[in-house]
Amino acid sequence: MAAHTTEKSTHITESSSGSGEALGVLTPLNPCRLAVYDDPAATPQVIEIAPQPIDSYMNAITREVIGVLRGFRSSIPFMVIRECVENLIHASFKNPTVSIMYEGKLVRFSDQGPGISHKEAALEFGTTTATNEMRKYIRGVGSGLPVAHQYMQDRGGSLVIEDNLEQGCVITISLAEDQANANQKTSKHRSLPRAASQNQGTQMAREKENFTSPSFKKLTYEKTEPRNYGEEVKGTSSAFLLEEKEKMALFLCLSREKIGPTDLVQLFGHSLSTWSRTLQYLVGLGLMNKPAHQQKYRLSPMGKEFATHNI
């Protein structure tokens, strides 16, 4: 296999001013670099995502990371990755780097922003430093990292917040089977000079092309026709193409077993009517059900399978 590193960029037209202040305080000015390690001792493949408007920038980063993880068949879900990507807004997207190691079992997000002083508090629901400008793009209610942290813990994995080498923050998420190895590698990395970590063995990167984000991929399951709040009848197969709110509802129900519209409002914002419609739509797809005379919705067997493998 030839040793090489592939770089890919998403180009945009820059403002003539080239000034972050002219474009907005949070406007991304630095590319995000995605480092994919086929082997911890090998130089990574580097994918560069050029700065662009905030929404499309976060979408592009999420899409690339999820694409690589699905290529490795990693089970780290979309929602955990999305929350970590959105957290980069607190660093004003200063030099973000995403490293993927151990065949997608460990993902590390780093930046050179102001960092997180109170790391334990950052994992508590309701604590946030989100400004009004940030809330144009994220929920900003202090639910992102706590939800991701709780999800990883429930599955035996981890989400750890650390300081970057000089300034900024590092968030590492790892699956259970690689948690000890991840912590050991993190400790070694902290004790080595920067030059040593940049000169690791020979290049063994493989190109990974045509990855598809679950956000845009149609997944075929056996559909059920709901009746009487969740009684299900086998039907024909159908492809599900879910929006982000629908994924949020499935994700939370996977963690809590049963949820209602109020739970979703408290965590993710929006209105009760919006989440009620979302839950009813998921019932219509056969992914959730609501037993008669009960207030909470639950995942159907098909919904649990879908959410476990695709959210």
Side-chain angles (χ1 to χ4, degrees):
M1 181 186 303
H4 62 278
T5 298
T6 301
E7 293 196 6
K8 176 171 57 176
S9 298
T10 304
H11 294 287
I12 61 165
T13 302
E14 296 183 357
S15 167
S16 58
S17 68
S19 166
E21 287 74 14
L23 296 172
V25 174
L26 301 177
T27 300
L29 296 179
N30 306 122
C32 175
R33 292 196 168 186
L34 174 57
V36 184
Y37 292 81
D38 289 325
D39 186 302
T43 303
Q45 174 195 7
V46 177
I47 300 171
E48 187 171 285
I49 304 165
Q52 50 198 284
I54 293 174
D55 282 334
S56 59
Y57 190 52
M58 292 193 297
N59 288 339
I61 297 171
T62 304
R63 186 163 57 247
E64 290 289 353
V65 174
I66 285 293
V68 173
L69 292 180
R70 295 301 173 257
F72 279 129
R73 300 187 181 277
S74 169
S75 61
I76 296 177
F78 169 89
M79 194 60 64
V80 171
I81 296 300
R82 182 66 186 192
E83 297 296 356
C84 292
V85 170
E86 290 189 359
N87 187 69
L88 293 171
I89 200 170
H90 293 280
S92 298
F93 304 105
K94 291 181 179 177
N95 298 315
T97 301
V98 185
S99 302
I100 299 178
M101 307 178 189
Y102 308 111
E103 297 183 339
K105 298 181 181 68
L106 181 148
V107 184
R108 179 169 289 135
F109 295 81
S110 68
D111 61 66
Q112 294 180 11
I116 298 177
S117 300
H118 305 288
K119 297 173 181 59
E120 291 185 5
L123 299 178
E124 296 290 335
F125 286 97
T127 60
T128 179
T129 58
T131 63
N132 287 334
E133 186 178 1
M134 292 178 188
R135 288 190 174 101
K136 297 175 184 177
Y137 307 100
I138 62 173
R139 293 183 301 277
V141 296
S143 65
L145 290 182
V147 166
H149 177 248
Q150 187 64 54
Y151 182 97
M152 296 304 295
Q153 274 199 328
D154 289 347
R155 280 147 189 80
S158 68
L159 184 153
V160 178
I161 303 175
E162 300 172 285
D163 293 326
N164 208 343
L165 291 175
E166 296 181 359
Q167 68 176 41
C169 174
V170 178
I171 295 176
T172 302
I173 54 179
S174 62
L175 298 174
E177 59 193 273
D178 203 61
Q179 186 172 353
N181 198 11
N183 292 337
Q184 181 182 10
K185 290 292 182 181
T186 297
S187 299
K188 288 183 179 179
H189 175 72
R190 295 282 180 248
S191 63
L192 289 174
R194 182 184 295 267
S197 65
Q198 292 175 338
N199 186 24
Q200 303 178 55
T202 59
Q203 290 180 289
M204 297 176 63
R206 298 190 301 265
E207 288 190 28
K208 292 179 175 60
E209 298 176 348
N210 302 320
F211 291 123
T212 305
S213 167
S215 303
F216 303 97
K217 182 168 64 176
K218 293 185 177 181
L219 298 149
T220 302
Y221 282 78
E222 188 175 30
K223 186 181 178 183
T224 58
E225 297 297 335
R227 61 183 183 185
N228 298 329
Y229 296 100
E231 239 184 292
E232 296 169 353
V233 180
K234 295 289 183 181
T236 58
S237 66
S238 176
F240 301 141
L241 189 60
L242 302 184
E243 296 181 353
E244 188 167 351
K245 285 197 293 293
E246 292 145 14
K247 291 179 181 180
M248 288 178 180
L250 291 176
F251 169 78
L252 187 61
C253 198
L254 189 63
S255 299
R256 296 191 178 183
E257 294 188 0
K258 54 184 180 180
I259 61 171
T262 302
D263 300 314
L264 291 159
V265 170
Q266 290 173 345
L267 280 176
F268 304 123
H270 301 294
S271 65
L272 282 172
S273 59
T274 295
W275 288 117
S276 293
R277 288 193 300 271
T278 298
L279 292 168
Q280 289 164 12
Y281 176 71
L282 292 169
V283 169
L285 290 179
L287 296 174
M288 299 188 77
N289 56 47
K290 180 174 178 290
H293 310 301
Q294 293 190 21
Q295 299 299 315
K296 300 282 189 176
Y297 292 76
R298 300 172 182 266
L299 290 175
S300 67
M302 179 175 62
K304 183 173 291 187
E305 180 186 358
F306 179 88
T308 299
H309 294 94
N310 299 284
I311 302 297

